[in-house]
Amino acid sequence: MFNHNLKLFGYKNIFNQLVKLDNNNKLPSRILLTGQEGIGKTTFSLHFINYLLSKNEEDTYNLDENKIYTNNLSFNLVKKLSHPNFYCVFRNNEKKNIDIEQIRNMNNFLNKSSFNNERKIILIDDIELLNINSSNALLKNLEESNSQNLFILTHNINKSILDTIKSRCLTFKLY
């Protein structure tokens, strides 16, 4: 599903800032990554997700080189969209927007218990593609979700999203 670079180029400062927040148990549960289209927000997200999910695995994320190992278990499960603690929402190629049914499916995922009592991670790619109904449904999830659920939202800065969604997230601008 995901075809991204295994080495993260740039963004080392922001990545290290998020790692530090995580190490200090202060990582916000709602992160908005915003920037121009095509600069690597999704790749950045997947690297950070791999860092979080692979902490207790044999082949953990390589922080020194900002690199994912191909034999990493979490990497392979996320790539196949089959990791039990990861859920991704993205625009279906046949549709113009992310519709409410996709957010309802995400809600079903959130209502299930997590694997190994670890945090669940939800990636919503291109949040600006949410229609008004799916935006409102997401807003409800952002407001009512517990701290064991981590939302990572990517946003093309050239398109608008609801201010109420922005206000629920800690924003990191990628350049």
Side-chain angles (χ1 to χ4, degrees), residues 103-126:
I103 301 300
R104 286 181 181 145
N105 291 338
M106 178 197 71
N107 196 31
N108 291 338
F109 168 79
L110 290 171
N111 288 330
K112 296 176 185 169
S113 58
S114 72
F115 181 72
N116 286 345
N117 207 25
E118 294 290 324
R119 130 176 64 206
K120 290 183 183 182
I121 301 173
I122 299 90
L123 172 62
I124 303 179
D125 197 28
D126 293 326

Side-chain angles (χ1 to χ4, degrees), residues 5 29 33 41 44 57 61 71 88 94 119 136 145 148:
N5 204 323
S29 59
L33 300 173
K41 297 178 297 292
F44 179 92
E57 295 177 10
Y61 184 82
N71 56 340
C88 185
E94 296 137 19
R119 130 176 64 206
N136 287 329
S145 182
Q148 273 296 94

Side-chain angles (χ1 to χ4, degrees), residues 28-162:
S29 59
R30 294 153 194 89
I31 297 171
L32 177 64
L33 300 173
T34 185
Q36 298 291 327
E37 185 174 359
I39 63 166
K41 297 178 297 292
T42 304
T43 298
F44 179 92
S45 300
L46 292 168
H47 274 260
F48 188 63
I49 289 166
N50 182 260
Y51 159 76
L52 292 170
L53 293 175
S54 70
K55 280 188 200 178
N56 299 319
E57 295 177 10
E58 195 171 308
D59 294 307
T60 62
Y61 184 82
N62 183 331
L63 273 173
D64 294 329
E65 297 180 35
N66 282 84
K67 185 177 179 183
I68 297 172
Y69 293 115
T70 54
N71 56 340
N72 174 272
L73 177 64
S74 286
F75 166 73
N76 288 303
L77 290 173
V78 165
K79 193 166 108 173
K80 296 174 188 168
L81 297 176
S82 60
H83 195 288
N85 288 339
F86 173 74
Y87 193 84
C88 185
V89 177
F90 51 91
R91 183 181 62 88
N92 184 329
N93 287 337
E94 296 137 19
K95 298 194 177 183
K96 196 168 96 174
N97 292 322
I98 296 171
D99 62 29
I100 193 164
E101 194 60 37
Q102 291 174 272
I103 301 300
R104 286 181 181 145
N105 291 338
M106 178 197 71
N107 196 31
N108 291 338
F109 168 79
L110 290 171
N111 288 330
K112 296 176 185 169
S113 58
S114 72
F115 181 72
N116 286 345
N117 207 25
E118 294 290 324
R119 130 176 64 206
K120 290 183 183 182
I121 301 173
I122 299 90
L123 172 62
I124 303 179
D125 197 28
D126 293 326
I127 194 164
E128 68 276 1
L129 298 177
L130 293 168
N131 63 32
I132 192 67
N133 293 328
S134 54
S135 291
N136 287 329
L138 173 63
L139 191 57
K140 184 174 176 7
N141 280 299
L142 291 175
E143 290 170 344
E144 297 176 359
S145 182
N146 66 45
S147 61
Q148 273 296 94
N149 298 325
L150 171 62
F151 288 86
I152 299 176
L153 317 173
T154 68
H155 170 234
N156 176 354
I157 202 162
N158 295 323
K159 299 190 177 162
S160 63
I161 61 173
L162 290 178

